[in-house]
Amino acid sequence: MARKRPRLAVWKFSSCDGCQLSLLDCEDDLLAIAERVEIAQFLEASRATAPGPYDLSLVEGSISTPEEIERIKAIRMQSRHLITLGACATAGGIQALRNLREFDQVLASVYAHPDYIDALATATPVSDHVEVDFELRGCPVNKGQLLEVLNAFLNGRPPNVSTYSQCIECKRSGTVCVMVAKGQPCLGPVTQAGCGNVCPACGRGCYGCFGPAEQANTGALSDQLAALGMTERAVRQYYRLFNNNAPAFREESKRHE
Amino acid sequence: MQADGSNPARVIFKEGLQVLLDRLKAAGYQVIGPTVREGAIVYRPIDTVAALPAGIVDEQAPGRYRLGEIRVGEQRPLFAHVVGPDSWKRWLHPPQQLMWRAERKKRGIVFVSASAGGQPPRALLGVRACEIAAMRIQDRVLAEGEWPDAGYRERRKGVFIVAVNCGRAGGSCFCASMGMGPEVTEGFDLALTEQVDAESHRFVVTAGSPSGQRFLDVLPGQPASEEALRRAREQTAKTAAHMGREMPADAGSVLRASLDHPHWEAVAGRCLHCGNCTMVCPTCFCTSMEERTALDGKGTERWRQWDSCFNASFSYLHGGPIRNSGAARYRQWLTHKLAHWEAQFGTAGCSGCGRCVTWCPVGIDITEEVRALGTPQETMRHDGG
Ligand code: SF4
Ligand code: SF4
Ligand code: SF4
């Protein structure tokens, strides 16, 4: 007897769609997943939608409008498991830069008619609003890690997603350290591994797309960035990229104001 | 010296080195040697002497590594560098390894052990004394204990070692103070001492095993004179006298006596716990296991990968990591290397290669840390570990 397939839903909030694209990018593997689950909702892939409840909801994007607060609560109510995907959903994303400023000024600098805009003063991670079962980092998420999370869900085991530094990935893959061998700044020592070693393997420093590593010692890294010639302003901005609102990066950037 | 008083050592030239590579390949070896990639000298498969870092020298300091050029007259030495971010561990105790797989069959779950075979035996070219010492240290841990690692033993047994006596010590080297170099004295098949002057570029080669001797006997070149051998020894002795740093002689007892020293917190303030030191260390052997299940749930693979005592997750037991602070983890690393390893495996866990000093992004130098810990200060209380 065929078991009933778990029902999967994919949701979008304030985001660029890049993480959903990573899911579409899984191609053959996605077909294998589609055989194991019923895709009830995934607008980026299909117009057809089916009502909840859902066994697993994948959520992309930050919570940036009053409407989104209500929507994420409704989705949570209908989802047995909820996993957030990417820097926007797990830390607020690049749009969380507005959290650091006067919101009215930000609106006025972007929109000709700010009064048409109904948005929150902050862009925040999903976990600030509802309970989240697992947060998958990345800007965008790594395809392999995304498949691993789905695989783990389907097989009822915890996902193999490491929380240690990007440096571990560099060294395992034999990438030469750009900080030591070229004197280039790199956020790798305080960034969680998982991207697949994209930047250091191309000879440039890590931009922190996967957010802070476990117990990141950002202060010690900043001292070294300064020793390599980075100005206070450059150090501050370095932490203010896609994961600027992740607590460890946010607090460190503020130390350089 | 052989029984008849003749000297089996030979002097060869660059062409002779290429002949050696060709003969090793013909004998079925994959040759791994030093070569320049991404601004550093790493150990990768090579076919020709041209792949070696001719005329390249590495300048090393805590947290800093740069390649530069070196010429002696018109000659470009091939082994003027010391050790880089790779160690032979990459080839003997690889970063990732499949241990076994399991399949769900009708009659139950079937386990299939992954064979260590399928890889050619390897000839390692340019192995330094500290690196042989590091292999011996890993041998004790991985091959000679109660539960030997079959894959490691297999790879290690088949290895042919072409060692090099260092003609220069790097800025982070301290093998002499660990008693692990720079002279190659055992555990090799062939040992080269490169001698470069304005007129000639040659290698004094000695054999350290019968198999090494068989290769050596047929290399083009000439028998080495007593004078050539004496000069080779002098050159290595000069290297020993010019080490970049020095480990205090009583490191083990200093560390055993300073478990509550406040300096652990001070160094933890600088340490990124990024794990680079353990990854580049040729003796660090720690790994963790990962199950990779098939999507359909019908099979699984168990993979082993390099891990590090600097990762909080590495000491995670039920409820949390047992070494939950940077200080506890830094102390674990240093005391294991230099004190407790001795009790556990009968040798120090450090060969003095200096990699952890150079490749630490913030330049933490273990020899300096030991010195600081040797300075008595009021004791402190410590969380964790
Ligand atoms: S390049 Fe960056 S991530 Fe890689 S080892 Fe160096 S500091 Fe770490
Ligand atoms: S000692 Fe250096 S290389 Fe080792 S974990 Fe600390 S910062 Fe990283
Ligand atoms: S502890 Fe440092 S110096 Fe000692 S063997 Fe390891 S990397 Fe080399």
Side-chain angles (χ1 to χ4, degrees):
Chain A
M1 189 193 81
R3 268 186 306 171
K4 207 166 152 258
R5 290 181 305 166
R7 306 186 73 226
L8 174 78
V10 183
W11 309 99
K12 175 190 158 62
F13 286 75
S14 293
S15 56
C16 75
D17 287 50
C19 291
Q20 292 185 76
L21 275 178
S22 299
L23 183 56
L24 280 179
D25 235 14
C26 293
E27 296 177 358
D28 290 352
D29 293 308
L30 185 59
L31 292 179
I33 288 167
E35 281 175 19
R36 299 279 322 266
V37 299
E38 176 198 338
I39 300 182
Q41 163 102 17
F42 185 8
L43 284 178
E44 185 131 334
S46 160
R47 241 182 315 167
T49 61
Y54 310 102
D55 293 291
L56 175 62
S57 276
L58 300 176
V59 180
E60 175 197 270
S62 66
I63 305 303
S64 307
T65 66
E67 178 268 334
E68 285 181 337
I69 296 185
E70 297 315 313
R71 197 151 60 89
I72 192 65
K73 285 184 180 157
I75 289 170
R76 176 71 264 193
M77 296 272 282
Q78 297 197 67
S79 309
R80 207 145 65 83
H81 299 272
L82 188 149
I83 294 177
T84 49
L85 303 185
C88 298
T90 61
I94 193 80
Q95 59 272 28
L97 282 172
R98 75 177 187 233
N99 304 4
L100 297 160
R101 296 166 179 247
E102 278 301 319
F103 186 50
D104 291 344
Q105 279 176 20
V106 176
L107 271 187
S109 66
V110 177
Y111 296 103
H113 294 284
D115 39 317
Y116 290 177
I117 306 295
D118 185 15
L120 296 168
T122 55
T124 45
V126 171
S127 61
D128 279 10
H129 304 274
V130 297
E131 188 157 329
V132 170
D133 296 297
F134 188 79
E135 296 189 300
L136 187 62
R137 306 270 197 88
C139 188
V141 293
N142 169 282
K143 222 163 76 172
Q145 284 202 333
L146 180 55
L147 283 170
E148 166 59 16
V149 165
L150 292 171
N151 185 330
F153 167 77
L154 287 169
N155 286 295
R157 61 169 173 82
N160 294 316
V161 172
S162 306
T163 52
Y164 46 63
S165 76
Q166 178 54 35
C167 302
I168 301 285
E169 230 184 346
C170 269
K171 286 295 179 290
R172 281 189 192 144
S173 63
T175 297
V176 174
C177 177
V178 302
M179 196 135 75
V180 172
K182 294 183 185 154
Q184 278 186 27
C186 181
L187 283 184
V190 296
T191 298
Q192 181 169 302
C195 66
N197 201 27
V198 178
C199 289
C202 297
R204 58 182 207 189
C206 165
Y207 289 101
C209 302
F210 277 57
E214 57 183 22
Q215 303 183 9
N217 190 354
T218 47
L221 182 67
S222 300
D223 291 347
Q224 186 64 13
L225 295 175
L228 293 176
M230 263 186 138
T231 61
E232 277 286 280
R233 181 185 145 88
V235 171
R236 178 173 76 235
Q237 291 182 338
Y238 205 12
Y239 290 104
R240 290 190 177 163
L241 294 165
F242 322 103
N243 286 287
N244 63 79
N245 188 48
F249 287 1
R250 184 181 61 216
E251 296 317 311
E252 186 59 25
S253 77
K254 285 186 179 163
R255 282 188 46 214
H256 301 273
E257 266 173 354
Chain B
M1 286 282 169
Q2 285 177 336
D4 64 1
S6 71
N7 181 349
R10 293 178 72 75
V11 172
I12 66 166
F13 302 89
K14 254 160 77 178
E15 305 69 42
L17 201 52
Q18 182 62 51
V19 172
L20 174 61
L21 295 195
D22 294 340
R23 293 240 157 98
L24 286 167
K25 275 196 290 173
Y29 288 104
Q30 179 189 35
V31 181
I32 318 279
T35 194
V36 175
R37 291 280 156 82
E38 303 167 36
I41 294 169
V42 295
Y43 297 148
R44 298 294 144 87
I46 59 166
D47 286 325
T48 63
V49 169
L52 297 171
I56 306 280
V57 73
D58 44 2
E59 287 149 18
Q60 301 197 32
R64 190 185 153 88
Y65 179 101
R66 293 290 185 281
L67 295 181
E69 291 198 358
I70 184 171
R71 293 269 192 297
V72 182
E74 292 293 294
Q75 318 286 348
R76 300 158 179 240
L78 299 179
F79 299 101
H81 59 280
V82 290
V83 296
D86 268 355
S87 74
W88 301 104
K89 167 170 103 172
R90 180 170 299 286
W91 298 96
L92 296 171
H93 180 51
Q96 283 216 70
Q97 202 185 325
L98 176 63
M99 307 307 284
W100 48 256
R101 55 181 112 239
E103 285 161 32
R104 206 192 292 274
K105 301 268 195 222
K106 277 211 186 74
R107 57 200 152 90
I109 294 174
V110 183
F111 290 86
V112 190
S113 111
S115 96
Q119 290 170 334
R122 293 192 170 114
L124 313 182
L125 172 65
V127 182
R128 307 308 173 100
C130 65
E131 301 187 300
I132 293 174
M135 287 181 204
R136 304 293 263 185
I137 292 171
Q138 283 211 330
D139 287 349
R140 296 211 177 201
V141 178
L142 296 170
E144 291 163 12
E146 205 179 332
W147 304 99
D149 173 336
Y152 177 87
R153 213 157 56 168
E154 194 66 29
R155 284 184 292 270
R156 180 74 169 94
K157 207 173 64 200
V159 113
F160 186 96
I161 293 181
V162 184
V164 165
N165 283 302
C166 292
R168 158 189 167 262
S172 298
C173 294
F174 59 98
C175 63
S177 55
M178 295 304 297
M180 308 237 184
E183 192 187 355
V184 173
T185 55
E186 51 122 33
F188 63 96
D189 295 291
L190 290 174
L192 317 178
T193 306
E194 184 174 38
Q195 295 184 332
V196 197
D197 54 39
E199 288 84 51
S200 78
H201 186 176
R202 54 194 186 276
F203 304 88
V204 177
V205 192
T206 56
S209 72
S211 141
Q213 190 68 56
R214 280 193 296 279
F215 277 92
L216 180 54
D217 286 343
V218 291
L219 287 184
Q222 60 209 41
S225 63
E226 274 308 312
E227 169 66 11
L229 284 170
R230 189 183 55 75
R231 280 187 49 201
R233 279 193 303 271
E234 274 175 15
Q235 185 178 313
T236 315
K238 211 170 125 203
T239 304
H242 288 86
M243 290 280 134
R245 32 213 79 232
E246 188 183 345
M247 180 61 79
D250 52 353
S253 44
V254 163
L255 292 177
R256 275 187 292 271
S258 53
L259 296 181
D260 290 321
H261 201 290
H263 186 71
W264 297 115
E265 286 295 348
V267 62
R270 286 186 293 138
C271 172
L272 303 164
H273 44 86
C274 59
N276 273 304
C277 47
T278 53
M279 296 282 117
V280 295
C281 177
T283 71
C284 275
F285 55 84
C286 284
T287 52
S288 55
M289 298 288 185
E290 191 173 286
E291 304 300 337
R292 302 187 188 163
T293 53
L295 198 58
D296 62 10
K298 291 200 177 119
T300 187
E301 290 181 344
R302 171 166 282 198
W303 284 81
R304 188 175 77 180
Q305 48 196 359
W306 288 353
D307 209 321
S308 169
C309 53
F310 279 95
N311 297 337
S313 45
F314 186 65
S315 72
Y316 185 94
L317 296 178
H318 174 75
I322 55 167
R323 287 187 285 271
N324 203 14
S325 71
R329 295 199 287 278
Y330 192 84
R331 184 177 64 178
Q332 162 66 23
W333 141 257
L334 208 63
T335 54
H336 191 210
K337 284 277 133 184
L338 296 166
H340 306 317
W341 204 299
E342 189 82 47
Q344 199 181 359
F345 300 113
T347 109
C350 170
S351 67
C353 74
R355 285 180 176 89
C356 58
V357 178
T358 296
W359 296 97
C360 170
V362 294
I364 294 174
D365 169 357
I366 62 169
T367 65
E368 282 307 318
E369 298 314 318
V370 170
R371 237 164 248 127
L373 288 157
T375 316
Q377 291 193 43
E378 61 187 85
T379 54
M380 61 167 204
R381 277 206 51 78
H382 209 286
D383 70 330

